[in-house]
Amino acid sequence: MNQALFDGELIYLAVPDPDRDAEVEARWTQDADYMHLLGSESAYPLTPGQIKQRYEESRKQGDREFWFTIHARADDRLIGFSKLIWIEWSQQSAALQLGIGDAADRGRGYGREALRLMLHYAFNELNLQRLAAMAPGDNVAAQRLLTQAAFSLDVRLRDAFNRGGRRYDRLHYGILQDEWRRGLPDVGGVARIDAPGADIPRLPALQSTRLFEGDKVRLGPITPEVVAPLFAAWSRQAEYRRLLDADPVRPWLTGVVKEDLVKDQLRDAQRRSLDEYWFMIYRLADDRPIGFVSVNGIQWMHGTGWVSIGIGEADCWGQGYGSDAMRVMQRYAFTELNLQRLTLSVFAYNARARRSYEKTGFAVEGIGRAALLREGRRWDEVFMGILRDEWQATAPGGGIT
C-alpha cells in the first residue's frame, strides 16, 4: 500500500513540463535511430512547439491517456518518456509506450525500472486487466525487455515494416494482471523485470544511418521563431524568388510568415497522415540555416511525391549545399517514407539548378514549352524525375549507409 508509485532507485516519473521538457524531446526526434526504435512512424524531426502541442493534446485526453516523463534520479535529467494510451475503461485495457531518448542512456537499467513502475501503476493504481505493447522486429532490446517483464508474444505481423528497403516483422505483446502478479509474488506483486526471459528471435539490426545529415548539411525542423525572419528576408531577393517558383515576387512580413507556419504545424499535429514534409537546411560547418527542402504533394497510394528546394543565402550558392541537401532528401523519401518516385520542375533559365538535379540522379522527362513569362520573354519549364531503383543503383551502399 505504501510503495512509491513514481519513484525508483535509478529514475522517477513526472508529468511533462512543456517549458523544461519540450526542447529535449524535440532534440530526440532528430535522431532517426531513436525514432525507428519506437515503432512504425516515419522519422521526422519536431520542434519544441510541436512537442508542446502533443503534450496539450495528451492532456485533453483526460483519463484515456497518461503521459509521464522519465528522469534520472542522480542528476534530474530528462532521459525518456512512458505512456499509457488507448485506454478502454469498459475493457480495462490499454497500450504501453516507452522510450529512452539518448543512446548513451540506453542499456543502463533506466528503461527496465520505468517499465516496472508503469506496470505497477497500470495494474495496482488504475486497476487495468490487460496491457499491450509493440516492438519493431529490429528492436531486439525492446523484445528482451518485454519478455523479461512477463509479456507474451501474442501476434507477429510478418514483413509489416519497411526500413531502408528491408522488411521487418511487427511484434505485438500482451500481459494480463494476474500474469504480472505471478511474476514475483514475494515483493507484493511487482513484476520481476530482471527475471530470465524466454528466447527472443533475433532479427538482423538495421544499419545505423545519419538519416538527416549529409557531407555538408543537415536537415532540421521548421522552427517558426527561427525561420520566419529568414523567409521574410529571402522574399525580398528577386533573383532567389524567380529561381524558386513562378509566383510574382513580393515581400513577406515576418509576423505573417510566423503566423502561417504556426497554423500549418497546428494543422499537421491534428492529422493522422501527412502529405508533405518540410525541413530547414543547416550548414554543418557552423549550423547556419541557409535554405529549405521539402517533399510534398505525396500520393501514398502511388508512392509518389514532389520535391522543392531553395538556398536562400546567396553567398552559399554554387558550393554544393543544395546537391548535398537533395541527396539527404532522396534518402529520406526513399528509405524512410518508402516512396517509389520523386518529381520536380526547374525553369530553363536556372541552369545551375538543373545541373545539380542531374548530378543527384534526376532525369529530364518532359518540357512544358513556353510555360513562363519573365520580363517579356517566354521560358520552358523542365520536368525531371527519379525512381527509387535508379537512386539505389547509384547511391553509396545501395542507399543504406
Side-chain angles (χ1 to χ4, degrees):
M1 290 291 291
N2 295 322
Q3 178 171 341
L5 281 177
F6 308 116
D7 297 300
E9 294 179 2
L10 301 175
I11 59 99
Y12 67 89
L13 305 181
V15 175
D17 180 341
D19 294 331
R20 185 178 72 166
D21 299 335
E23 187 171 343
V24 178
E25 288 213 43
R27 175 172 55 79
W28 295 341
T29 68
Q30 298 186 45
D31 179 356
D33 289 338
Y34 165 75
M35 297 297 287
H36 288 161
L37 291 173
L38 292 182
S40 59
E41 283 190 20
S42 298
Y44 188 49
L46 301 176
T47 67
Q50 289 171 303
I51 296 294
K52 289 180 180 180
Q53 291 165 20
R54 293 192 172 191
Y55 289 160
E56 179 62 19
E57 290 300 315
S58 177
R59 187 187 65 81
K60 291 178 181 178
Q61 292 292 318
D63 62 1
R64 292 191 55 130
E65 182 170 313
F66 293 81
W67 187 334
F68 298 96
T69 48
I70 305 171
H71 298 261
R73 181 167 293 284
D75 53 14
D76 207 40
R77 280 183 306 115
L78 175 64
I79 59 173
F81 77 91
S82 56
K83 298 181 189 177
L84 293 172
I85 60 174
W86 303 330
I87 297 177
E88 296 290 344
W89 289 107
S90 63
Q91 306 299 323
Q92 295 181 291
S93 66
L96 171 70
Q97 291 183 337
L98 191 153
I100 301 297
D102 289 326
D105 288 324
R106 297 173 203 147
R108 301 178 62 181
Y110 297 138
R112 180 180 297 110
E113 193 166 77
L115 180 56
R116 179 181 66 80
L117 292 174
M118 290 299 291
L119 288 171
H120 188 272
Y121 186 76
F123 290 135
N124 262 9
E125 184 67 20
L126 302 185
N127 296 313
L128 298 177
Q129 292 299 312
R130 186 182 194 281
L131 281 183
M134 187 278 296
D138 54 335
N139 190 346
V140 176
Q143 297 167 46
R144 181 181 299 109
L145 182 65
L146 291 170
T147 303
Q148 290 176 351
F151 280 78
S152 63
L153 177 56
D154 294 338
V155 179
R156 178 187 293 272
L157 300 180
R158 295 169 300 154
D159 288 353
F161 287 154
N162 189 336
R163 301 279 203 221
R166 296 179 62 181
R167 303 208 69 93
Y168 295 88
D169 296 347
R170 179 187 179 113
L171 308 177
H172 289 262
Y173 290 83
I175 185 172
L176 305 179
Q177 186 185 121
D178 63 346
E179 294 171 341
W180 170 75
R181 291 191 182 280
R182 290 198 304 267
L184 189 60
D186 56 319
V187 291
V190 179
R192 183 168 57 192
I193 307 304
D194 57 353
D199 290 338
I200 301 171
R202 288 180 173 271
L203 298 179
L206 179 66
Q207 296 180 24
S208 178
T209 176
R210 299 177 305 166
L211 186 62
F212 303 115
E213 191 173 309
D215 295 328
K216 297 184 175 185
V217 303
R218 71 173 180 89
L219 306 187
I222 301 285
T223 307
E225 295 77 10
V226 175
V227 172
L230 292 174
F231 279 10
W234 296 343
S235 73
R236 304 182 67 87
Q237 300 175 18
E239 184 177 5
Y240 165 75
R241 292 294 303 166
R242 289 177 174 177
L243 293 173
L244 187 64
D245 58 39
D247 293 340
V249 177
R250 60 179 180 180
W252 299 337
L253 293 174
T254 298
V256 173
V257 175
K258 181 178 177 181
E259 183 179 339
D260 288 345
L261 290 172
V262 170
K263 287 180 180 177
D264 288 345
Q265 292 184 349
L266 284 171
R267 177 203 64 198
D268 290 346
Q270 297 170 359
R271 298 167 65 182
R272 294 184 62 85
S273 178
L274 299 180
D275 59 6
E276 57 184 32
Y277 293 81
W278 291 77
F279 300 88
M280 282 299 287
I281 301 171
Y282 292 86
R283 194 164 62 177
L284 282 179
D286 53 10
D287 216 36
R288 174 187 175 191
I290 61 173
F292 79 92
V293 64
S294 73
V295 55
N296 51 74
I298 296 174
Q299 292 185 303
W300 293 108
M301 182 174 68
H302 303 296
T304 63
W306 285 74
V307 181
S308 301
I309 187 171
I311 303 297
E313 299 296 325
D315 64 328
C316 294
W317 292 353
Q319 298 183 45
Y321 297 124
S323 297
D324 195 43
M326 181 62 77
R327 292 189 186 97
V328 178
M329 189 75 248
Q330 289 172 332
R331 183 172 63 198
Y332 181 78
F334 288 134
T335 68
E336 186 66 23
L337 303 183
N338 296 311
L339 298 182
Q340 296 299 313
R341 172 188 168 81
L342 292 176
T343 308
L344 57 77
S345 68
V346 58
F347 305 135
Y349 56 73
N350 194 351
R352 182 176 61 243
R354 179 169 170 175
R355 288 194 300 271
S356 174
Y357 301 149
E358 289 174 339
K359 186 165 62 174
T360 56
F362 282 87
V364 175
E365 297 181 328
I367 304 291
R369 296 172 298 153
L372 197 69
L373 179 64
R374 289 293 195 201
E375 298 183 355
R377 178 178 173 182
R378 302 213 68 94
W379 298 86
D380 293 343
E381 183 175 8
V382 182
F383 291 88
M384 308 179 74
I386 184 172
L387 306 180
R388 177 190 170 91
D389 290 346
E390 296 169 344
W391 170 78
Q392 269 190 312
T394 58
I400 311 242
T401 59

